[in-house]
Amino acid sequence: MSEAITPFTLAIDQGALDDLNRRLDHARWPEKETVDDWTQGSPLAKVRALCDHWRHGYDWRRCEARLNGLGQFKTEIDGIDIHFLHVRSPHADALPLLITHGWPGSVIEFMKVIEPLTNPTAHGGRAEDAFHVIAPSLPGYGFSGKPTVAGWGVGKIAGAWIQLMGRLGYDRWVAQGGDWGSAVTTVIGLMRPQGCLAIHVNMPLVHPAPEEIIDPTPQEQAALAALAYYQEKDSGYSKQQSTRPQSVGYGLVDSPIGLAGWIYEKMWAWTDNQGAPEDVLTHDEMLDNIMLYWLPGNGASSARLYWESFGVGASIPLEIPVGVSMFPKEIFRTSRRWAEAKMKNLIHWNELDRGGHFAAWEQPALYVGEVRTCFAKVR
């Protein structure tokens, strides 16, 4: 196995874009939902508007050029090609920062924060706030390879990320993540590799013990209510993807409107919006992300991570320095009391007044501030 790191340039064949347009033109649409809200899923009119923009207003080449301009690379780890962004700071002594996305996200989530993280003096920060940013695509996601054998759960991914940081020559670094990125980052913290100074998460995987919920605070009551809502009304996607990812994969890989409707609903459910995902993210931003699922045909391979790892890594005590930023519309929330029971060296805790599950994407300035503040304590 080669340990080479190879520059990667995106150049999607025009035929693939023409095929997408044909599929959009000839889509077979379902009838309208029988309610006037999102309770049955992505509303027909909203998905049609998104897909109309996809067909007639969206420009993939703009996104492609943006990704190519940042610096993309691939390297093979355990038989899988890992795609990653590697953006070095102009400040030579910057701290390497490994950031990991989740589902249904991608490295697109980080487009607004890479420049402030790497070049803080141009964005209201100090030279000592600078990071070198490493943002890999999870196996089976984006332009990383797709596992062909079982076993690529969050533990193996965490080990691969540790290898990646070593290959890049970094012997002092920090890690950050949300969603599956939070799980991978948490496992990195459990492994405590030499060189990893601390971790930060914006979706802490903390499940309170039974005795901790006997007399919950109002904040904890709200967190428990949000969890109950998720389990009852919002977790159908995870039940499907964690039990039968291959079955749902056929539709997600073959139908662009099927994929768009599947992902777009989470843009509504998980962002801090006033009723529509467009309150927070533009159609172009959402479609950039969707394209990183459509072009590589990742509907099944990305879903398979749920089959591999759903529920893994929660509530295991962490000894490494940990920072937590709680955004109010996060799926899973916790209290400081619950967090401190599992995170034995909690170096940063903050509860934000706005933002949701896609913290870097929705509230880039707040996200950058949280990352800077947390990791300033271990530089």
Side-chain angles (χ1 to χ4, degrees), residues 172-196:
R172 295 181 74 257
W173 51 278
V174 292
Q176 198 284 327
D179 195 87
W180 281 115
S182 178
V184 171
T185 301
T186 298
V187 175
I188 290 173
L190 291 170
M191 292 178 171
R192 298 208 68 173
Q194 185 175 5
C196 184

Side-chain angles (χ1 to χ4, degrees), residues 12-244:
I12 297 300
D13 186 85
Q14 184 59 39
L17 303 181
D18 293 341
D19 174 69
L20 168 62
N21 288 337
R22 283 191 298 270
R23 290 170 186 263
L24 290 170
D25 284 338
H26 297 287
R28 188 168 75 160
W29 293 90
E31 66 282 357
K32 182 186 182 298
E33 61 283 355
T34 59
V35 293
D36 293 325
D37 54 29
W38 290 72
T39 56
Q40 292 180 358
S42 300
L44 176 64
K46 299 288 289 182
V47 179
R48 291 201 76 140
L50 177 69
C51 290
D52 181 70
H53 181 74
W54 201 0
R55 176 63 180 91
H56 299 291
Y58 176 75
D59 180 11
W60 162 253
R61 299 302 182 192
R62 170 197 48 78
C63 180
E64 187 177 74
R66 170 75 170 126
L67 288 168
N68 285 335
L70 285 171
Q72 300 182 95
F73 301 86
K74 283 193 174 184
T75 190
E76 182 185 340
I77 300 178
D78 291 340
I80 294 289
D81 280 341
I82 299 300
H83 163 266
F84 63 99
L85 305 178
H86 186 197
V87 186
R88 291 188 60 85
S89 170
H91 303 284
D93 58 350
L95 181 64
L97 169 65
L98 172 71
I99 51 177
T100 307
H101 68 87
W103 185 93
S106 66
V107 296
I108 295 298
E109 293 179 57
F110 307 128
M111 293 297 99
K112 301 173 188 175
V113 301
I114 289 175
E115 177 66 18
L117 289 169
T118 56
N119 191 13
T121 54
H123 297 271
R126 308 165 301 166
E128 53 266 38
D129 293 325
F131 296 93
H132 302 306
V133 171
I134 304 91
S137 296
L138 292 164
Y141 288 69
F143 295 102
S144 283
K146 301 173 185 176
T148 58
V149 296
W152 274 95
V154 293
K156 189 162 186 173
I157 295 169
W161 281 192
I162 293 166
Q163 287 189 58
L164 174 61
M165 297 303 281
R167 284 188 194 178
L168 293 173
Y170 292 133
D171 55 10
R172 295 181 74 257
W173 51 278
V174 292
Q176 198 284 327
D179 195 87
W180 281 115
S182 178
V184 171
T185 301
T186 298
V187 175
I188 290 173
L190 291 170
M191 292 178 171
R192 298 208 68 173
Q194 185 175 5
C196 184
L197 306 178
I199 65 171
H200 175 275
V201 294
N202 51 275
M203 190 184 81
L205 298 176
V206 174
H207 293 171
E211 62 273 14
E212 293 176 315
I213 61 174
I214 293 173
D215 187 22
T217 66
Q219 180 202 25
E220 291 169 346
Q221 289 174 347
L224 292 170
L227 178 60
Y229 174 84
Y230 172 82
Q231 291 173 334
E232 182 179 352
K233 299 289 188 182
D234 196 28
S235 61
Y237 77 98
S238 66
K239 294 290 196 300
Q240 179 66 35
Q241 295 188 160
S242 62
T243 57
R244 300 292 187 271

Side-chain angles (χ1 to χ4, degrees), residues 180-366:
W180 281 115
S182 178
V184 171
T185 301
T186 298
V187 175
I188 290 173
L190 291 170
M191 292 178 171
R192 298 208 68 173
Q194 185 175 5
C196 184
L197 306 178
I199 65 171
H200 175 275
V201 294
N202 51 275
M203 190 184 81
L205 298 176
V206 174
H207 293 171
E211 62 273 14
E212 293 176 315
I213 61 174
I214 293 173
D215 187 22
T217 66
Q219 180 202 25
E220 291 169 346
Q221 289 174 347
L224 292 170
L227 178 60
Y229 174 84
Y230 172 82
Q231 291 173 334
E232 182 179 352
K233 299 289 188 182
D234 196 28
S235 61
Y237 77 98
S238 66
K239 294 290 196 300
Q240 179 66 35
Q241 295 188 160
S242 62
T243 57
R244 300 292 187 271
Q246 191 70 15
S247 295
V248 73
Y250 297 108
L252 299 178
V253 169
D254 187 62
S255 169
I257 66 162
L259 178 69
W262 191 246
I263 290 179
Y264 180 63
E265 189 261 325
K266 295 309 172 194
M267 301 294 104
W268 165 77
W270 295 349
T271 58
D272 186 7
N273 63 67
Q274 301 305 306
E278 292 82 3
D279 298 332
V280 181
L281 302 170
T282 68
H283 276 174
D284 279 346
E285 288 171 337
M286 289 186 277
L287 289 168
D288 286 346
N289 179 66
I290 289 169
M291 285 292 268
L292 264 64
Y293 287 83
W294 175 257
L295 292 171
N298 286 342
S301 59
S302 60
R304 206 168 285 124
L305 182 52
Y306 285 77
W307 185 88
E308 292 278 4
S309 292
F310 195 76
V312 172
S315 297
I316 299 174
L318 278 164
E319 303 294 338
I320 196 170
V322 183
V324 173
S325 298
M326 288 298 308
F327 290 82
K329 296 298 183 179
E330 182 54 85
I331 307 170
F332 305 125
R333 301 196 295 276
T334 188
S335 69
R336 182 163 190 160
R337 176 173 73 114
W338 292 346
E340 286 178 334
K342 304 297 188 298
M343 299 169 172
K344 304 301 183 182
N345 190 1
L346 190 63
I347 61 169
H348 174 77
W349 174 273
N350 193 25
E351 298 171 27
L352 289 301
D353 62 358
R354 61 190 183 278
H357 184 64
F358 306 97
W361 213 8
E362 297 179 56
Q363 295 292 339
L366 293 180

